[in-house]
Amino acid sequence: MKRAARTGPGSGPGALVTRRWGRALLGALGTGAVVLVLELLARTGVFDDEALPPATSVLARAAEMAVDDGFLGHLGTTVSAWLGGLGLAVALAVPAGLLLGSLPRLDAASLAVVELARPVPSVALIPLAILVFAEPVRVERSLVCYAALWPILLNTLYGLRDVDPVAKETLRSFGFGPLSVLWRVSLPSAGPFVLTGVRIAASVGLIVAISAELRAGGDAGLGVYLLQTQSGGGRPDLMLAGAVWAGALGAAVNGVLVAVGREVFPQTRPYPRAGGSGYRAARSSSNAGRAE
């Protein structure tokens, strides 16, 4: 009886897949509605076609770019600098966050430095980065690293502060040292916070990467491509198509990180909502267990 109750409608992997497909369908409908509105605005003459091309034209140009070697080269340069800077930020921020979160005095001593450096915009550091790093790719990677460092660091600190102190004291009472407590309790508990910081940092890093290419220039990159589309009279359709690729790239990376978080940290999956079928199935399962 218990097994039948626990696998009732609205619970289990099947219901989770159904909810994911439902969210994906709603997202597709929302995207289609936005495309339709932009298409109508362009076709009805509310905006000039040269300023705002039809959405279908922009999407067609974006599809053509998928087989354009020149554009793919620009895109690859941006992706390489973006992911390189993001990976470097993770390698620096996570250990630093674990160290500061484990040593309260060191955390208090470095608080002023963190709060002073965190609000500095990465774009404002472009002249300094150009002086320090000669190659445009290294300039871009360093700026991405600086911008992505702070969300990961702060989320790591917040995650460590949210760790259950009873769990840590329990391990200490059994003779486990600080490193064992950090590895067995603190890091798994703070993991979802760290992943959230990486997701935020990925979006910020992509913005900074393209902004650095727009401001600092260079030979290749998505920002350089966007500048080239505005030379010689300008091609708004190509510029918007490049922006579509940037958005799709950020959404793809965010989707990958969300999927990784669901697999690595299954405890962060949402519970069934009260009143829904999953909630009723879970409640009936609990009642059945009590009856037996």
Side-chain angles (χ1 to χ4, degrees):
M1 182 179 297
K2 288 183 179 180
R3 181 175 302 177
R6 289 176 182 174
T7 57
S11 62
L16 181 61
V17 173
T18 301
R19 289 195 295 270
R20 290 179 183 175
W21 277 107
R23 289 194 296 266
L25 179 59
L26 290 176
L29 291 176
T31 304
V34 172
V35 172
L36 179 60
V37 170
L38 294 177
E39 183 75 14
L40 292 176
L41 288 176
R43 297 294 183 183
T44 55
V46 177
F47 293 97
D48 188 3
D49 291 347
E50 296 182 357
L52 181 64
T56 52
S57 176
V58 173
L59 294 178
R61 297 295 177 271
E64 295 173 357
M65 290 177 179
V67 294
D68 186 354
D69 294 336
F71 173 76
L72 294 179
H74 287 291
L75 186 65
T77 300
T78 299
V79 171
S80 176
W82 171 38
L83 296 183
L86 182 63
L88 184 59
V90 172
L92 294 175
V94 174
L98 294 176
L99 180 63
L100 296 178
S102 303
L103 302 175
R105 292 185 178 178
L106 183 60
D107 184 16
S110 61
L111 179 62
V113 178
V114 172
E115 293 299 329
L116 178 64
R118 182 172 59 91
V120 178
S122 297
V123 180
L125 299 177
I126 289 179
L128 178 61
I130 293 176
L131 291 176
V132 177
F133 305 102
E135 299 178 3
V137 175
R138 297 181 63 185
V139 171
E140 185 178 352
R141 189 179 295 121
S142 64
L143 294 173
V144 171
C145 176
Y146 181 84
L149 185 72
W150 308 112
I152 303 174
L153 176 63
L154 294 179
N155 275 271
T156 303
L157 291 174
Y158 294 151
L160 290 177
R161 293 170 184 171
D162 196 62
V163 176
D164 186 6
V166 177
K168 295 191 293 185
E169 292 299 330
T170 301
L171 252 66
R172 293 193 185 102
S173 65
F174 281 99
F176 288 93
L179 293 179
S180 297
V181 174
L182 179 65
W183 178 257
R184 295 173 181 268
V185 176
S186 299
L187 190 58
S189 179
F193 289 86
V194 176
L195 186 61
T196 300
V198 174
R199 290 175 57 192
I200 298 173
S203 301
V204 174
L206 181 59
I207 296 172
V208 171
I210 298 177
S211 300
E213 292 168 351
L214 288 170
R215 300 289 296 177
D219 298 329
L222 189 55
V224 175
Y225 177 82
L226 294 177
L227 286 176
Q228 292 175 354
T229 59
Q230 296 307 299
S231 62
R235 289 289 304 274
D237 55 342
L238 294 179
M239 182 192 68
L240 293 176
V244 168
W245 269 95
L249 187 62
V253 172
N254 182 73
V256 171
L257 292 175
V258 170
V260 170
R262 287 172 178 168
E263 295 299 326
V264 178
F265 307 110
Q267 70 273 17
T268 60
R269 293 175 180 174
Y271 292 99
R273 290 178 295 179
S277 58
Y279 174 80
R280 290 193 297 269
R283 187 172 182 179
S284 63
S285 174
S286 176
N287 293 334
R290 293 175 182 175
E292 292 184 358

